[in-house]
Amino acid sequence: MSPLRSWFIIPRGSHFSLANIPFGIISTESSKTPRVAVAIGDHALDLEVFAANNGFSALSTIQPHQDVFSQPSLNAFAVLGRPVHSIVRKYLQSVLAEDTPYPDVLKTNSTLRRQALIPLKDVKTHLPFKIGDYTDFYAGLNHAYNVGVLFRGPSNALQPNYKHLPVGYHGRASSVVVSGTPIRRPNGQILSNPLAEKKVPTLSACQKLDIELELGAFVCKPNSMGEPVPISEAEESLFGVVLMNDWSARDIQAWEYVPLGPFNAKNFGTTISAWVVLADALEPFKTKGLENDSKVLPYLQERDENTVYDIQLQVSLKTKTGNSTTITKTSSRNLLWSFPQMLTHHSITGCPFNVGDLLGSGTISGLEQSERGSLLEQNENGKTSIKLSGSEVRHFLEDGDEITITGVCGSDEEALVGFGECVGRIEPALKL
Amino acid sequence: MSPLRSWFIIPRGSHFSLANIPFGIISTESSKTPRVAVAIGDHALDLEVFAANNGFSALSTIQPHQDVFSQPSLNAFAVLGRPVHSIVRKYLQSVLAEDTPYPDVLKTNSTLRRQALIPLKDVKTHLPFKIGDYTDFYAGLNHAYNVGVLFRGPSNALQPNYKHLPVGYHGRASSVVVSGTPIRRPNGQILSNPLAEKKVPTLSACQKLDIELELGAFVCKPNSMGEPVPISEAEESLFGVVLMNDWSARDIQAWEYVPLGPFNAKNFGTTISAWVVLADALEPFKTKGLENDSKVLPYLQERDENTVYDIQLQVSLKTKTGNSTTITKTSSRNLLWSFPQMLTHHSITGCPFNVGDLLGSGTISGLEQSERGSLLEQNENGKTSIKLSGSEVRHFLEDGDEITITGVCGSDEEALVGFGECVGRIEPALKL
């Protein structure tokens, strides 16, 4: 299939081709109230302005709901449901297409083009959803195995439950921030001498600050308490996907996590990319996840065998000196569980979901050293060092380090479906 | 000090004496929009109606903010801050006092009395806060010890971190419900034969459904990401306290919780009492918590030695047959950590809090068998049975069982500061 072409200039290699149309929240210097937009090429299309100027006049479905584009989050748009998201995306594609059946809407309407199409460099992006609850899973099999080997050795690397259910834990919704937000190195209790028999913690700035390369998925359909989401309906409950960096304080985690799991090690910041790629846009890039050699219980069995996305993921680390090194390249197909499986398992107890709830995939690592999605795995818990370009090395993150995750689907430079960037820079800890 | 007397009839032994004035959210048959009220004796005082009829005309502080009482949650009132909560409580006490300086407001205003004072039996109570994030701690030392003995034996019962930091985990905010909401027995993965070498789970209705006797505290002051709440300011960030039953599926928990902690075992329902007792009202009942024989790091050290509340707690179980048995009597002084310590530790990393965030204390147990706050502890993980009145016995909860938690401070029957009830009844699991 030849790619959709636009009358609008979309640079070759743009993550935001006409095949994509991701949604986000923007504001500008001249109009500071956050509102809904889509990204197209190097521009944002301001949907509040677009709607106010009859941009949706040909789309009767959305007309009674146009106020959703004036909201400071995508929650109200998401509530409308996947069939509506799909119609809106297709309509915007057709408005932007070279041979648009609606030339008057934007193509020949230079006034609205000037008002509604804003260079991305001139927009500030905001957290796309008001997040009710955030859950982080652990579905990256290779990551779970690598970490298991570090702490329990290869024969007990994976816990007995790992291949039967998507292991997860409740995260901290309040600390999820949009790409670009600085991350302050956390203080916390750590053991300066973990091997000492008497465990005496100190309060210290985190010495083992790490990243976790993940995907996040937003929920667009609520379920009532006591009513699980069947696997056959889970797909319809998922709005779209973002890149995620689940910053982790490994030394705080090691001391605190027994017996109730990660807590302060994870609640000082989780960064997500600004543009949410709709599930529809990712549909062509579905593929098989990792093989599960355990028999999965029927409530988690999916009809289709292609259940995870093949997103080419990359992590780069830029130091204070300006040196940038790609430290990880992998694919999001390295997951044992799909987002529908996570949602179905999470709700099997009757746990209620609200629109805007966020599911994290867990750290994604491939099999090779260069495919590992956390520094902990790359440096074997601090034993080896990670070589950066130039003569710099890293064990864990230093102040001033900037981490950028990118993710993109497809190979046709004119039809990429990408996520843009998920960026965060480490600021020094508060002085104690 | 002799108790405050009211011109209004407050039954002896009422939890809602003039010394209390707890806040909640109500609606009525004739006015279905949820709004703010306080409980007084057997009545709710509807603060929306009270405000609309010049009830606060003598209180200039609150006048610009009276719309907070028309909200469907206490969040907007809580935002005003503890000094304002204190002023409003004291003003309402003075309006209701026998020798009120404001007789025209309510005492001699029979029209407003009729409109604003509604028998509690005629009000429906709602979740008092819109909860952003919910965190559950594990500060009940005796509970942690008892459970530790069951799973690891007495010598390793408490983990090395236990006395150095308030252990906690992020909970599921969406599943917190108000007293009276039915709780459906969850389905989930359990091991029908946990001792078998090959661990093969089944999907089943929970067979070990349990309670956890806890307190909850609501946050009324936000902090920005990266800015911890110092222990000296933590008290000012806490609005008030509720009773909490953190329903727990022990068999689901046992299978799922390694290595990331409790998840589905805890997200099918957490019940809180409807009336939030202000921190001010509880102030006279502060006492020493349990002794901590470890040296606590300075950031967690409190100036005052009385840091926890002496609330007399009671749990009763009523079976389908109508038989009711008190199964637990204890005091909330059985905590190793105070709510200010929990908040300070939780935010030491810079974790941001929003108004309406909820902190759970963890299960509260005394030293004696009859003081244990969970069935797991009472029945030693199913080994012994719990004798109920009549000839019934229980290991864990059966369908139709109703659990009622009550809590009250003080002994003067005319000046009790109580919480009313925190009730939930178990409905059968969804058929699989």
Side-chain angles (χ1 to χ4, degrees), chain B residues 10-11 13-24 38-41 89 120 215 240-243 273-285 309-314 405-422:
Chain B
I10 299 173
S14 171
H15 280 199
F16 307 135
S17 78
L18 207 48
N20 194 349
I21 314 289
F23 284 70
V38 294
I40 180 75
R89 172 169 169 266
L120 283 176
L215 296 183
V241 175
V242 288
L243 306 174
S273 52
W275 297 100
V276 188
V277 179
L278 293 185
D280 267 20
L282 292 169
E283 196 60 32
F285 306 102
Y309 302 117
D310 185 13
I311 306 169
Q312 300 146 51
L313 298 166
Q314 199 160 309
I405 300 177
T406 57
V408 65
C409 298
S411 54
D412 181 338
E413 293 273 297
E414 291 179 42
L416 298 180
V417 173
F419 292 78
E421 294 184 337
C422 174

Side-chain angles (χ1 to χ4, degrees), chain A residues 299 345 348-349, chain B residues 186-190 202-206 252 264 432:
Chain A
Y299 79 102
H345 176 67
I348 186 68
T349 56
Chain B
N187 291 310
Q189 285 196 24
I190 66 172
T202 54
L203 179 63
S204 160
C206 168
I252 295 174
N264 270 359
L432 290 170

Side-chain angles (χ1 to χ4, degrees), chain A residues 11-149:
Chain A
R12 263 185 87 81
S14 170
H15 280 199
F16 307 135
S17 76
L18 207 49
N20 193 346
I21 314 288
F23 283 72
I25 298 294
I26 64 160
S27 64
T28 50
E29 201 46 52
S30 60
S31 175
K32 293 199 161 59
T33 308
R35 59 211 182 257
V36 174
V38 293
I40 180 76
D42 286 344
H43 286 71
L45 175 63
D46 181 333
L47 292 188
E48 182 179 40
V49 169
F50 183 77
N53 289 277
N54 304 312
F56 287 112
S57 55
L59 196 65
S60 59
T61 322
I62 200 69
Q63 277 174 31
H65 308 294
Q66 294 200 48
D67 58 328
V68 300
F69 300 121
S70 305
Q71 303 300 314
S73 75
L74 294 175
N75 296 57
F77 175 57
V79 167
L80 301 178
R82 281 200 52 185
V84 174
H85 314 152
S86 178
I87 288 167
V88 172
R89 173 171 169 266
K90 283 189 183 138
Y91 173 72
L92 293 172
Q93 285 176 324
S94 73
V95 165
L96 290 160
E98 201 157 45
D99 55 350
T100 172
Y102 315 108
D104 302 349
V105 170
L106 203 60
K107 185 177 182 180
T108 63
N109 183 345
S110 61
T111 313
L112 185 53
R113 285 211 314 270
R114 249 193 326 273
Q115 289 180 309
L117 282 163
I118 312 165
L120 282 177
K121 66 177 175 43
D122 297 335
V123 308
K124 180 172 155 63
T125 50
H126 301 263
L127 199 63
F129 275 90
K130 183 160 170 46
I131 301 169
D133 279 286
Y134 154 48
T135 299
D136 200 20
F137 284 89
Y138 196 50
L141 169 67
N142 300 318
H143 168 77
Y145 178 79
N146 290 339
V147 171
V149 169

Side-chain angles (χ1 to χ4, degrees), chain B residues 92-320:
Chain B
L92 292 174
Q93 285 176 322
S94 74
V95 165
L96 290 160
E98 199 156 47
D99 55 350
T100 173
Y102 315 107
D104 301 349
V105 170
L106 203 61
K107 184 177 182 180
T108 63
N109 183 344
S110 60
T111 312
L112 185 53
R113 285 209 315 270
R114 248 192 327 271
Q115 289 181 308
L117 283 162
I118 312 165
L120 283 176
K121 67 176 174 44
D122 297 336
V123 308
K124 179 172 157 62
T125 50
H126 301 262
L127 199 64
F129 276 88
K130 183 161 169 46
I131 301 169
D133 279 287
Y134 153 50
T135 299
D136 200 22
F137 285 90
Y138 196 51
L141 169 66
N142 300 319
H143 168 76
Y145 178 80
N146 290 339
V147 172
V149 169
L150 287 176
F151 294 111
R152 288 179 300 275
S155 55
N156 295 307
L158 295 177
Q159 301 289 345
N161 58 18
Y162 189 82
K163 291 182 174 177
H164 293 282
L165 55 82
V167 170
Y169 66 100
H170 303 124
R172 179 82 190 175
S174 71
S175 63
V176 180
V177 295
V178 73
S179 177
T181 309
I183 299 295
R184 182 174 280 174
R185 180 184 299 274
N187 291 310
Q189 285 196 24
I190 66 172
L191 287 182
S192 35
N193 185 0
L195 300 177
E197 191 169 342
K198 191 166 160 60
K199 310 289 185 203
V200 182
T202 54
L203 179 63
S204 160
C206 168
Q207 308 290 312
K208 290 188 170 184
L209 186 55
D210 200 355
I211 60 166
E212 292 196 336
L213 168 60
E214 304 198 19
L215 296 183
F218 283 102
V219 171
C220 62
K221 196 173 169 183
N223 65 303
S224 302
M225 193 165 117
E227 303 288 344
V229 181
I231 190 76
S232 59
E233 295 172 22
E235 189 80 47
E236 281 300 297
S237 299
L238 296 170
F239 177 82
V241 175
V242 288
L243 306 174
M244 181 185 284
N245 186 349
D246 186 30
W247 306 93
S248 299
R250 300 299 178 196
D251 40 5
I252 295 174
Q253 189 174 354
W255 170 234
E256 74 170 5
Y257 93 108
V258 179
L260 300 184
F263 177 51
N264 270 359
K266 299 277 192 171
N267 63 24
F268 58 93
T270 299
T271 306
I272 62 173
S273 52
W275 297 100
V276 188
V277 179
L278 293 185
D280 267 20
L282 292 169
E283 196 60 32
F285 306 102
K286 272 190 171 166
T287 185
K288 268 185 169 171
L290 297 175
E291 185 106 21
N292 193 337
D293 52 19
S294 287
K295 192 164 164 53
V296 170
L297 282 165
Y299 79 101
L300 288 176
Q301 286 170 13
E302 292 178 282
R303 214 173 35 198
D304 196 334
E305 64 174 10
N306 294 324
T307 62
V308 305
Y309 302 117
D310 185 13
I311 306 169
Q312 300 146 51
L313 298 166
Q314 199 160 309
V315 182
S316 69
L317 190 163
K318 190 164 90 178
T319 67
K320 265 194 295 203

